[in-house]
Amino acid sequence: MRNLIISFTILLVMIITWSVFFNHASDSFKALSHEIATETVDAVEKEDWKGAMDSFDKIKDKWKKFHTTSMFFLENEEIIEVDLCIAKSHEYISAQDVSNSAGELKYLSKQLSIMAEKEELSWHNIL
């Protein structure tokens, strides 16, 4: 009986940890996606390169903080894809390339939105 209680307690702790992380992950993905779509893309389309780079640097910093914990819970392929997208976007913004910057940022925003949907606790994702 003691082993059953210990096993149940460990399982409960794992489920709670998983749930808390995935709620945080979903919220983080949505916030990053929204920030990219509203602030960074707008600055790029207005050719405000300083504003675009400042906004994008904030996004990169937020992603780096999230990246370290997400490696334990999310698929590596998705994380690597976001990392590559961020690197390409940074280079396009540095080169002041409007079309490629906007396109890559919109792709990154959509990718983060999809990741948010995938990580939400819902019947669609469970079944």
Side-chain angles (χ1 to χ4, degrees):
M1 187 65 173
R2 181 173 175 230
N3 289 337
L4 179 65
I5 293 172
I6 292 171
S7 297
F8 181 73
T9 304
I10 291 171
L11 181 63
L12 189 62
V13 167
M14 288 174 57
I15 289 172
I16 290 170
T17 304
W18 172 80
S19 177
V20 167
F21 174 78
F22 282 106
N23 284 334
H24 170 68
S26 180
D27 293 343
S28 295
F29 290 145
K30 287 177 185 176
L32 284 172
S33 176
H34 180 72
E35 190 172 338
I36 290 168
T38 57
E39 294 177 20
T40 313
V41 172
D42 287 346
V44 165
E45 289 174 344
K46 292 176 185 173
E47 297 188 37
D48 174 16
W49 298 110
K50 181 172 177 7
M53 189 56 83
D54 291 344
S55 174
F56 192 70
D57 285 341
K58 290 178 192 173
I59 291 165
K60 279 191 345 186
D61 291 341
K62 289 177 185 177
W63 175 252
K64 282 181 186 177
K65 289 177 186 173
F66 181 75
H67 181 270
T68 55
T69 55
S70 65
M71 294 297 285
F72 296 108
F73 295 99
L74 303 175
E75 296 178 29
N76 277 344
E77 294 166 2
E78 292 176 335
I79 295 169
I80 290 169
E81 182 68 28
V82 170
D83 286 339
L84 292 173
C85 231
I86 287 173
K88 286 195 295 188
S89 297
H90 179 75
E91 292 304 315
Y92 289 142
I93 293 170
S94 295
Q96 298 182 356
D97 185 343
V98 177
S99 62
N100 284 328
S101 296
E104 196 67 34
L105 287 168
K106 288 177 183 177
Y107 175 76
L108 178 59
S109 176
K110 183 64 176 175
Q111 186 177 20
L112 290 169
S113 294
I114 291 170
M115 287 175 72
E117 290 173 11
K118 264 183 71 176
E119 304 307 329
E120 284 181 347
L121 186 60
S122 67
W123 289 111
H124 176 71
N125 290 337
I126 294 172
L127 303 175

